[in-house]
Amino acid sequence: MSEKKTERREFLFTATYAVGAVGVAAVVWPMVDQMNPDASVKALASTEVDVSSVEPGKAITVLWRGKPVFIKRRTPEEIAEARAVKMDDLPDPQKDEDRAKDPEWLVMLGVCTHLGCVPLNDKGDYNGWFCPCHGSHYDTSGRIRKGPAPTNMEIPKYEFVNSNIIKIG
Amino acid sequence: MKDIFKIIYLTILLSITVHQVKAEEKLDLLKTDWSFKGLFGKFDRGALQRGYQVYTEVCASCHSMKYLSYRNLSEKGGPEFSIEQAKAIAASFEVTDGPNDDGEMFQRPAKLSDKFVMPYGNIKEAQAANGGAYPPDMSVLAKARSGGVDYIYSVLLGYEDPPSGVTLDDGVYYNKYMYGNKIKMSQPLYDGSVEYSDGTEATEEQMAKDVVTFLMWTAEPHLEARHKMGFKAILYLIVLTILVYFSMKKIWSRIESKV
Amino acid sequence: MSDHEYVPKSKFGKWFNDRLPLLTLSNHLTDYPTPKNLNYWWTFGGILTFCLITQIVTGLTLAMHYIAHADLAFESVEHIMRDVNYGWLIRYIHSNGASMFFLAVYIHIFRSLFYGSYKSPREMIWIIGIIIYLLMMAAAFMGYVLPWGQMSFWGATVITNLFSAIPFIGEGIVQWLWGGYSVDNPTLTRFFTLHYLIPFLILGLVVLHIWALHVPGNNNPIGIDIQKPSKDTVPFHPYIVIKDGFALLMFMIVFAFFVFYSPNILGHADNYIEANPMVTPPHIVPEWYLLPFYAILRSIPDKLMGVIAMLSAILILAALPWLDTSKIRSAVFRPLYKQFYWILVLDVIILGYVGAMPAEGLYLLVARVATAYYFIHFLIILPILGFKEKTMPIPLSITEPVLQDLSTIKKESLN
């Protein structure tokens, strides 16, 4: 058999394999993508929370996208404490001013950044939150101070619709 | 090879007889040129938007559409209202939400994520309001009737005075295309029933065509994506089939040449 | 090629294969000597494997979104069709896939009937195949119930009521099947469970089916045994693999056409109406692939006898290797059997047709005649034919006709 002929045969087989592989990949994608959040989940509206009844120093927990969100009305002492912390003392340095638009209100996802448990309010060594699962301590700004969690608790997108209502998401 | 011809012959023969028998039984449905039929069929956006108008202004007072959400109105492949338009449409409806912190249900304007508001609270209420007949939910109606869109189109335009000898009870109407010719819905569309904002003249035929197009979309919201993907998939399969065919010839030539 | 002991080349391969002979198995499968004269009717085994895998994969993904509850099932199917990413695609592949599966299995069965593949020494392959077919019907029927449309509900009601024909204990059995006094939520959840289970049973039986096949090896269009493996057979890979692949792609084009351009044509419009125990649809029909048996059921005016006739119509197939007394396998050399074979094909098509029609008047008469013929074919014609028929001379080996075959195929492809 001549070399040219062998080459053409090789090319034909390579092309067939390549085109076949593209098809397999194209079929696999829908089977994978069907597990992603579907259109009705993605469309789920934002949550509006009336916070008029929250006393200073108290926190409420609301459900948003299936996760707890802590809304804490902080006292002047707690705000001062959060703002006095030196950046060098933080494993995940972040200013309190960047975390709370209105210093009185701290709105954050109540999910420990270690493995997803819900931390307890007013517990721990830093007057903030304490995660009972693996012992992570958060301060009054929800920042990680001690323990295995790698980052501060997450701040969701939110806005004040008026002075009483916070819209999360 | 001969066997294949036999099978093909039998199939054709059978399908012809089936067709003839069916043709004898049924009155031919009215036909119109649907933009969504065919390999490249797409919805006519204008027709979908007008169809939505006919649905809300005429049908929605009795017929629910419980699997649709307001967000669907702005989704690709549908009427494609802008997000703002869809939000405004949603906000014009009131939905019950709750319970609030006091444990009470409350009314609020609908949001994009809400389902279409239903005309009746439950089936019994719907039956009570319509002389015992439940106006069927319209979400998948176009797929739930044999004859599909042509059938619904025909029924919408099939109202007639009953032929002599047919007596109708109160609240029952005569329709040429309805199964059994008796229908509990009064003629819904008359020339000028709605006023189209895009200047299209609202004739009976036009409104029927628009609303049925809309119903086809509500029943099959991904029809356009399906047609598009189908074309690509089949084209791809044909290319691969040709490649495999020649690969097969090459491979089998190894032994054929030896023989 | 056939009987030598396989030894992996690499050291690790040897170590592994001594402990788990997967490499021996894969070597057996690739080298498996296959008659070289197999025609395209033989590609449906591969196509059926594809169908089974497609149904399992799409079924698993659908099960992630489907809710098996009488109040939520219909809605969850609509959720799949509207909101789940590619949900419409997956569901349409699954629902049309069932029809494609049956189309392929009918061709596979009728191929076996034509070429006598069920005869000695392949009886076990055939019987396992019949069990697979029965399980397929069960799976398809229960799957059709899951969307909880009108046809789902009333189909389930009618089919489960068949068991009430059993004397004395019938009523009890039906209530046991339902988990109540009618088809309702308990019925739906158990049907879902079984619908999920059966495909894996089928998968296991398919392994046995192929195992049983690999003992005597494939039958072939000539129906005679392999004389010289080196001349009469080719290794499964790449020859049969590529041929099966080609046929599979052709099949997939038809499949894709249904999925993308007429996904609901094989279904019934009434199944897009949510189940309503108060209203029966004017005309209940099962899916097309069950119609012939439905016609047999309805053609007998007695309830119990109808059920028995329907079951016998399937079970009689299991006895086929002994009912067919002819020593010659392939219909190619049996001129009379060939005629009767095509009459049977026609008979089954007619049964399917009248099964879709109302059971009255002429249709009922035709159904009765066709039912009678179906049984006559298997119980009378086949046993007698084996003794009476004058068969044509069969060739000594498949190599010679192969030559002929190939030359004709070449001519055709040139045209």
Side-chain angles (χ1 to χ4, degrees), chain B residues 47-111:
Chain B
L48 284 181
Q49 297 198 355
R50 289 193 300 272
Y52 172 70
Q53 191 186 344
V54 177
Y55 167 71
T56 26
E57 291 180 18
V58 182
C59 324
S61 55
C62 300
H63 291 276
S64 61
M65 206 170 251
K66 58 183 172 183
Y67 301 120
L68 273 277
S69 303
Y70 293 108
R71 67 185 157 84
N72 297 136
L73 292 172
S74 66
E75 279 168 6
K76 215 169 164 289
E80 296 187 3
F81 287 107
S82 69
I83 301 266
E84 281 66 38
Q85 282 173 316
K87 273 186 181 163
I89 288 171
S92 67
F93 296 92
E94 288 265 297
V95 294
T96 309
D97 199 352
N100 61 16
D101 293 341
D102 300 324
E104 280 158 12
M105 305 303 279
F106 57 93
Q107 294 291 114
R108 62 162 173 79
K111 293 185 282 199

Side-chain angles (χ1 to χ4, degrees), chain B residues 9 18 22 35 54 61 64 74 82-83 106 145 165 239 248 251:
Chain B
Y9 174 70
V18 171
K22 278 200 174 152
S35 63
V54 177
S61 55
S64 61
S74 66
S82 69
I83 301 266
F106 57 93
R145 294 290 178 276
V239 169
M248 178 176 73
I251 288 170

Side-chain angles (χ1 to χ4, degrees), chain C residues 75-95:
Chain C
E75 189 182 336
S76 73
V77 172
E78 278 308 309
H79 169 67
I80 290 169
M81 293 298 289
R82 288 160 197 277
D83 294 332
V84 173
N85 304 318
Y86 297 104
W88 59 269
L89 174 65
I90 298 171
R91 174 165 178 258
Y92 277 154
I93 291 177
H94 196 73
S95 60

